[in-house]
Amino acid sequence: MTKTLSQISTIESLRSAVREAKSNGRKVALVPTMGYLHEGHLSLVEEASKQADFVVVSIFVNPLQFGENEDLANYPRDLDHDLRLLSASGHCDVAFTPSVEEMYPVPLVTTVQLPSMASKLCGRTRPIHFAGVATVVTKLFQIVQPDVACFGQKDGQQLAVIRRMVKDLNMPVNVVGVPTVREEDGLAKSSRNVYLSKEEREHAPVLYQALSWAKAEIERGQRDATEIVRGVRERIEQDSIARLDYVEAVEMDTLESVSVLSGDVMIAVAAYFGKARLIDNIQLHVE
Ligand code: PAF
């Protein structure tokens, strides 16, 4: 059934909308976003509507997850467009659009930290990022009290961090990881793709090409993580524009590097194309 979208900007009104939905026996899903929505987000919203009856999409550019030299002020925003997309999707009941003052009326004294996972991979260049994500997601979980929350597999480290936080802190939320949505040439959809020049955009699919090579090698039986990492690195380094940040093979649960591929693993990459820093990954269960 096509849903009619409401926009709610205060915590109190959102709580009362969720209370009413729950009192009518409806299961609640949350899709946390920072807006500037694209098809990747819409696939999260669609999945949320399959998982639950009442879908809340939060749109909040969270200052806590931006470092000092990261461009919070220039992060792309277009609320009207976001609301139009959510309304047209027919899968969202409420767009929760709080202000910074509503979410952070006073400076926080309490934060959620997962240092061993937050310092790995992207955490090396973005040291405060995952504490900011974990803290705002905890606040959103407290505000919405969803039964289910949907996150993109594209942000693989974020997904691992949230899953671990939910497990460690016994949060009663089922975290669902939703497959990455890609452009036709394989580039993962991301709000940050708007930063790419025409030439950079043409080169950016090298990340997916390198990861696809890795997936095929693993499917052919390769279990040596060093070989996979070396092959992915070589392919990205051969590109004349990409500046590689990292390639790593890690255990999905802990984000610890692995030397042998076994169980739930992720091959994760990050690279700069001009000023845009793009990430991508593949997540596999290896027998
Ligand atoms: O993935 C994002 O857009 C953000 O990190 C999230 C989960 C909405 C928290 O601000």
Side-chain angles (χ1 to χ4, degrees), residues 1-74:
M1 204 181 70
T2 303
K3 295 174 180 295
T4 306
L5 181 73
S6 316
Q7 183 188 357
I8 296 182
S9 299
T10 68
I11 294 171
E12 199 186 329
S13 310
L14 181 70
R15 281 204 163 124
S16 99
V18 171
R19 229 182 347 259
E20 193 187 326
K22 285 197 171 180
S23 73
N24 291 327
R26 297 171 81 188
K27 195 171 163 187
V28 175
L30 170 66
V31 181
T33 80
M34 297 209 299
Y36 213 68
L37 303 180
H38 51 68
E39 283 167 46
H41 296 108
L42 294 181
S43 78
L44 302 181
V45 181
E46 191 177 344
E47 180 60 32
S49 76
K50 288 184 192 148
Q51 298 272 340
D53 317 294
F54 188 77
V55 175
V56 179
V57 175
S58 61
I59 299 177
F60 178 63
V61 181
N62 173 36
L64 229 58
Q65 67 191 71
F66 286 78
E68 263 176 23
N69 47 10
E70 293 174 20
D71 217 354
L72 169 63
N74 287 333

Side-chain angles (χ1 to χ4, degrees), residues 32-34 62 65 133 136-137 151 155 158:
T33 80
M34 297 209 299
N62 173 36
Q65 67 191 71
V133 170
V136 79
V137 171
F151 293 86
D155 296 306
Q158 170 168 286

